[in-house]
Structures are given as structure tokens and as C-alpha cells.
Amino acid sequence: MIKSPDHIQVDPVRDRRGLRAFLHFPYRVYENDPHWVAPLLIDQRKLLDPARHPFYEHSELQTFLAYRGGQVVGRIAAIHNRNHIRHHEEQVGFFGFFEAIDNPAVAVALFDSAAGWLRERGLTAMRGPVNPSTNDPAGLLVEGFDESPYIMMTYNPAYYENLILGAGFEESTAMVAYIIRHNEAPAYMPRLAAKITARTGVTLRPIRMTEFEKELRRIRHIYNAAWEKNWGFVPMTDAELAFMAHELKPIVKKDPELVIMADSAEGEPVGFSLSLKNYNVALKPARGRLLPLGLLKVLWNTRRIDMVRVLTLGLVPEYRGKGIDTLLYYRLFQTCVEKGLKGGEFSWVLEDNHAIRKPLERLGGEIYKRYKLYDRAL
């Protein structure tokens, strides 16, 4: 327990009552925010449960609540990601799931509590927000508050950046999200795609749901090879990939054409793109609850979804620079037309990753949201 001079008390969450308060506090922060999309409470419980989520096979997390006058005024999680430490050889811990009222004293008390927990484990810096890793929703929204977040993207009040900077953090990394508000492929694409196909022999196809487990192994191979040297990348374990696949499978099954696999002339997997319909449109009215009527609201509102989110597009190193990304983008445009989708969000992209940003801008994409991660020495 930590008490501040401003009568802010921070306690670690130890029981079900504390977890319930942790999960329900955001409803107070976003009570009057029309753009917030409440995450499903059932998914949040699973994400924070060491017995149910494979993240805790290699890492640990401690949640905290801040109180003032007996009322919850903030929350945070301190995260010890051992896989990140092994992969990057840096003694960095993380914070995530941060929510607070607009009060600097509350924020400082929360960050100090998380810092103390991480310092006890020998870590020398704290980075965030990540929830709970860079393979999950990560980053603080700093620009683009006038539109709701897309599926699996973060959202927060505008005042959070001041709270974080006021607690001793400095900007670490900047990311952007692109939006393309049309489904028309550029005029040059059909002829160029035909030339690339003839030159490389690469073919595209939707994910094969009948051999889902094999496809997962192919995707994991591409994913780890494509992002191995990217900033912040941590390889997903087999268990983490299987968990994520299990969670996403019902969505993917509805639209397998949005998961596009690229195979070489020899039939070897060399790339893929993963897109999902923006189910946040349907989830928003449910307010995080599937019962008693939330599920009906979700099912009813799926008909209103007309945009996608492109989560990732990757190629194994030896197939980069050959135009395969153009093939994947062109197929995505075609799929959107076939499904009556009007465009989509491409997110997130590192601000300095011009190899990805330039093609998106040639496709008509524009930056409409910005995100940041922050570091604080311990």
C-alpha cells in the first residue's frame, strides 16, 4: 500500500472484489465519451487471468487501484515481460491498462506504485502503455479523438498524455494509423499486379479454414521472420498464437477472404495479410456485456459494419522488394468491393517506417490518428 500527501492510496489488487473494481473503473472515466468502445468484460477477465492466458507462462503482471476518500480514482498494471527482456536484452518493464481521473497526484501515485514493483524485480526502466505486450493493443492515443477506435486499437482521454509526461516519462516511440475511405484500387494496380505475378510466380489465396492448424504454423513462421528485427517485436509463443487464433477464429471464419496468404511458385508460404471487419461498430452498443441483451445488440449491429482494419502485412525477408505487398493490397481492394466494404484503417505503423508508409500514401491513405509509447527511468 502506498499513500501520497494528497491522500491518494494505491493498493495491489488481490481478490475478486478488487478485480471487479479494476474492470469497471473505466466506465466512470468514459461515462460521457461518445467514442469509447468498452472492451468485452469476459475477454478482459481472461486477459488478466494467469490460469487462462498463455502470456503468464513467461511473464507476470500486477494490477493496482488508486483510492481517494474510499472511491476508486485510477488503475494501472505493472508488467514484467521476460520474453521481451530475453529478445531485446534490455531490463525494461512495462505499464498498461492505465486509466485515471484528470488529477496529476493520482497518476503519479499509480506510476510510482508500478515503478516500485518493477524496480523490485531488477528492472531499470518502465515503458508503456501496452496491454499487456506489443502483440496486444498498445500505445497512447495523442491525436484523432473525434472517431471511435477500430477493433483491437487503444483509445483514451486527451489529458492522459499530460498525466504521463507529468509523472516523469519521455516519449519513446511514435506510431500512426492510416485511413483509406474508399475501396477503389489505383488505376495502375491491375496491370502492375499482373506483371508481378508473372515475374515472381507468387499466388494469393484466402486462409484455408479446413486446415486451420497448419495455416497457423505458416503464419507464425512468416510473422516471426518478417518482424524479427522490428522495434519492440517479441516472438509469439506457440501457446500465445494458438490462444489468439482461438479468439479470432469465429471472426475469421465469417470472412476468411480477409486473411490473404501469399505462396511462392513452389507452394511455400512467403507472406500474408490479416484484416478484420471493424467489429467495434457492433460491440459499442453492448457496453462490454454480452448478457442479457448485449449479444443481441452485437448481432444486430454487425450489418452496419462497412470498414476493415488491416492489422498486419508481412513478407519473409527474401521476398521483400519484389512487389508482393502490391499484390496483397490489390487483392484486399478487390475483397472489399466484393463484400461491400468501403475502406479501412491500416494500423499501427511506426512513424519512421517509411517503407510501409509510402505505399499506403500511394494507395490514398492519410494519417488520421497518432499514438505514442513513453519511457521512464527507474
Side-chain angles (χ1 to χ4, degrees):
M1 180 181 70
I2 292 180
K3 288 187 177 181
S4 76
D6 299 275
H7 305 290
I8 308 299
Q9 178 176 317
V10 179
D11 294 331
V13 174
R14 301 293 191 194
D15 54 27
R16 287 186 178 183
R17 182 179 180 183
L19 177 61
R20 177 178 172 80
F22 188 92
L23 293 173
H24 286 263
F25 174 70
Y27 288 88
R28 176 183 175 190
V29 174
Y30 300 99
E31 182 178 7
N32 299 311
D33 191 326
H35 300 302
W36 182 57
V37 180
L40 289 176
L41 291 169
I42 188 172
D43 288 344
Q44 291 288 287
R45 287 183 182 277
K46 198 180 301 180
L47 182 59
L48 293 170
D49 188 346
R52 301 171 70 190
H53 199 288
F55 176 76
Y56 304 100
E57 293 175 5
H58 57 76
S59 299
E60 60 181 320
L61 175 152
Q62 177 60 58
T63 50
F64 296 88
L65 287 170
Y67 298 87
R68 184 177 61 185
Q71 186 177 41
V72 177
V73 290
R75 73 175 202 180
I76 199 169
I79 304 154
H80 186 188
N81 187 335
R82 295 186 180 88
N83 271 8
H84 177 94
I85 293 170
R86 280 192 289 268
H87 189 75
H88 292 278
E89 297 181 344
E90 60 175 356
Q91 296 298 311
V92 172
F94 294 86
F95 76 87
F97 303 96
F98 172 74
E99 305 282 2
I101 63 171
D102 190 3
N103 184 305
V106 171
V108 168
L110 285 166
F111 286 120
D112 284 352
S113 297
W117 188 89
L118 294 171
R119 195 180 296 112
E120 289 173 358
R121 283 148 183 82
L123 303 176
T124 58
M126 176 166 59
R127 180 175 299 153
V130 299
N131 305 301
S133 78
T134 51
N135 288 321
D136 302 286
L140 187 85
L141 180 68
V142 297
E143 187 178 309
F145 297 95
D146 55 344
E147 294 190 47
S148 294
Y150 273 51
I151 184 171
M152 297 173 67
M153 287 296 285
T154 60
Y155 180 81
N156 53 263
Y159 65 80
Y160 276 16
E161 184 173 30
N162 286 336
L163 293 183
I164 290 173
L165 294 174
F169 286 86
E170 296 181 352
E171 179 186 329
S172 167
T173 308
M175 302 93 79
V176 297
Y178 280 86
I179 191 75
I180 296 181
R181 302 186 193 275
H182 62 83
N183 61 8
E184 298 176 7
Y188 68 83
M189 262 194 162
R191 182 177 297 179
L192 180 58
K195 288 182 178 180
I196 294 169
T197 300
R199 184 177 68 246
T200 64
V202 168
T203 56
L204 305 183
R205 59 176 176 80
I207 188 172
R208 295 170 182 149
M209 298 303 294
T210 55
E211 48 184 73
F212 192 67
E213 297 303 321
K214 287 184 179 179
E215 294 283 64
L216 281 184
R217 290 194 289 272
R218 293 170 185 140
I219 288 173
R220 183 173 185 266
H221 166 72
I222 299 167
Y223 180 79
N224 287 342
W227 281 272
E228 182 180 10
K229 297 181 180 179
N230 280 17
W231 180 93
F233 169 75
V234 177
M236 295 183 74
T237 65
D238 288 340
E240 286 175 314
L241 183 65
F243 181 89
M244 178 179 287
H246 176 77
E247 296 295 295
L248 293 180
K249 188 174 181 179
I251 297 176
V252 172
K253 191 175 181 180
K254 289 179 179 294
D255 299 284
E257 301 85 0
L258 290 173
V259 183
I260 306 168
M261 306 294 295
D263 293 336
S264 69
E266 295 74 31
E268 294 297 318
V270 297
F272 78 99
S273 70
L274 168 62
S275 304
L276 299 174
K277 284 183 177 177
N278 182 27
Y279 278 93
N280 270 8
V281 171
L283 289 172
K284 182 193 266 189
R287 299 283 292 173
R289 298 172 175 88
L290 290 180
L291 297 175
L293 298 176
L295 183 57
L296 292 176
K297 292 178 181 178
V298 171
L299 293 174
W300 174 254
N301 283 285
T302 53
R303 62 191 176 86
R304 297 175 51 229
I305 301 172
D306 60 4
M307 299 285 276
V308 301
R309 179 187 166 210
V310 183
L311 282 76
T312 186
L313 184 152
L315 301 167
V316 296
E318 56 268 34
Y319 272 81
R320 293 175 187 162
K322 297 180 182 293
I324 312 304
D325 55 337
T326 297
L327 296 182
L328 290 165
Y329 286 134
Y330 183 45
R331 175 62 68 85
L332 181 58
F333 274 115
Q334 293 175 306
T335 302
C336 285
V337 171
E338 292 166 2
K339 290 184 168 291
L341 299 166
K342 297 179 180 178
E345 177 183 288
F346 295 71
S347 57
W348 43 256
V349 181
L350 290 170
E351 189 176 59
D352 59 3
N353 190 345
H354 297 287
I356 296 295
R357 291 184 56 188
K358 287 180 180 178
L360 291 176
E361 289 165 7
R362 285 198 296 268
L363 295 175
E366 58 177 322
I367 295 173
Y368 86 123
K369 289 180 183 286
R370 294 181 183 272
Y371 303 83
K372 291 181 182 179
L373 290 173
Y374 302 85
D375 279 10
R376 169 177 155 177
L378 297 180

